[in-house]
């Protein structure tokens, strides 16, 4: 189904990725990796790790730990995360305004992320961002499961994996070039719309609601 021609009998649902879309979690994740390195006596280049946020945690940990330890270390990381990663994390510019733009239009805003859902919810609560639903543990094409379940017409993310998830869900892919993937990569992956960051979202969303075909950029 063409996302521009979905039924309008239900409120428009817009999905958002979390890391580097709604929140800048790099300071917090860096701190958590540094603490994890100390706890496990294992070298982790935290700056390198936070430069490639997006994929599941296990895909990063395999760079620093033997495969047979990844599950164990991932669980430890998730346990440590609230102590080290929540407070330093900031909202991305325009994040609150983007959620508000959807709500003010009578729509629903959901978060679909690869992050462990309880920690994703802690971030959002700490920053006072209140989506209608938070679904965690989904990456790339897996995100289509939640996007389809919630009938999302649009999915906003910063990574080529988010573009793939939107396309798999037959949702309009709106990419923000605020994370590890630049505008060229995002367009090459098939993004329908590329914004510099979420500060541009309310204006784009207004145009999309008025005339979806004219809103492609």
């Amino acid at each position: 189904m063409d996302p521009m021609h979905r039924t309008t009998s239900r409120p428009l649902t817009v999905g958002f990725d979390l890391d580097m879309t709604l929140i800048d979690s790099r300071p917090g994740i860096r701190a958590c990796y540094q603490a994890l390195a100390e706890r496990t006596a294992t070298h982790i280049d935290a700056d390198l790790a936070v430069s490639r946020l997006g994929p599941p945690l296990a895909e990063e940990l395999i760079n620093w730990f033997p495969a047979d330890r990844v599950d164990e270390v991932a669980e430890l990381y998730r346990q440590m995360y609230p102590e080290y990663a929540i407070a330093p994390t900031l909202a991305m510019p325009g994040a609150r305004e983007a959620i508000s733009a959807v709500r003010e239009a009578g729509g629903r805003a959901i978060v679909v992320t690869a992050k462990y859902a309880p920690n994703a919810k802690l971030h959002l609560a700490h920053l006072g961002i209140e989506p209608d639903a938070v679904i965690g543990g989904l990456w790339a094409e897996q995100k289509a499961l939640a996007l389809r379940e919630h009938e999302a017409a649009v999915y906003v993310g910063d990574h080529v994996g988010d573009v793939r998830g939107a396309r798999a869900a037959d949702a309009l892919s709106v990419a923000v070039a605020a994370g590890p993937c630049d505008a060229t990569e995002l367009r090459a992956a098939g993004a329908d719309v590329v914004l510099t960051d979420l500060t541009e979202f309310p204006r784009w969303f207004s145009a999309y609601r008025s005339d979806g075909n004219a809103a492609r950029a």
Side-chain angles (χ1 to χ4, degrees):
M1 182 188 299
D2 184 343
M4 292 297 185
H5 296 93
R6 291 175 185 258
T7 177
T8 57
S9 61
R10 297 189 179 188
L12 175 65
T13 297
V14 177
F16 292 87
D17 178 49
L18 185 64
D19 292 296
M20 302 311 298
T21 299
L22 288 175
I23 66 172
D24 183 354
S25 52
R26 291 173 298 181
I29 290 177
R30 181 186 292 109
C32 195
Y33 274 129
Q34 290 170 338
L36 181 69
E38 183 175 354
R39 180 81 63 89
T40 60
T42 301
H43 170 69
I44 300 173
D45 186 335
D47 289 321
L48 177 59
V50 300
S51 74
R52 51 194 184 198
L53 296 180
L57 175 61
E59 293 189 20
E60 183 59 46
L61 293 179
I62 195 66
N63 295 303
W64 315 107
F65 296 89
D68 62 359
R69 290 199 64 202
V70 166
D71 288 348
E72 162 207 344
V73 175
E75 180 59 28
L76 175 60
Y77 173 93
R78 293 186 183 108
Q79 291 174 4
M80 297 171 64
Y81 195 94
E83 179 180 356
Y84 292 97
I86 302 302
T89 292
L90 305 173
M92 291 292 283
R96 295 181 180 88
E97 292 81 359
I99 299 291
S100 294
V102 176
R103 290 271 180 70
E104 289 168 5
R108 298 177 69 249
I110 66 171
V111 172
V112 183
T113 174
K115 190 180 292 297
Y116 180 54
N119 287 339
K121 291 175 181 178
L122 287 176
H123 274 304
L124 293 164
H126 179 74
L127 293 170
I129 299 173
E130 300 180 354
D132 294 283
V134 178
I135 305 95
L138 298 176
W139 163 242
E141 288 83 358
Q142 295 173 344
K143 294 188 174 190
L145 299 172
L147 295 173
R148 287 186 180 277
E149 178 183 353
H150 289 268
E151 299 184 326
V154 177
Y155 185 58
V156 185
D158 67 284
H159 198 284
V160 295
D162 299 323
V163 177
R164 286 157 44 198
R167 296 182 69 83
D170 195 27
L172 191 75
S173 172
V174 176
V176 288
C181 302
D182 63 24
T184 300
E185 291 177 272
L186 295 165
R187 289 193 183 95
D192 296 296
V193 177
V194 178
L195 307 177
T196 301
D197 57 35
L198 282 181
T199 62
E200 298 177 359
F201 179 85
R203 181 177 179 183
W204 172 84
F205 188 63
S206 177
Y208 167 75
R209 290 177 54 239
S210 298
D211 181 357
N213 289 312
R216 290 180 182 269

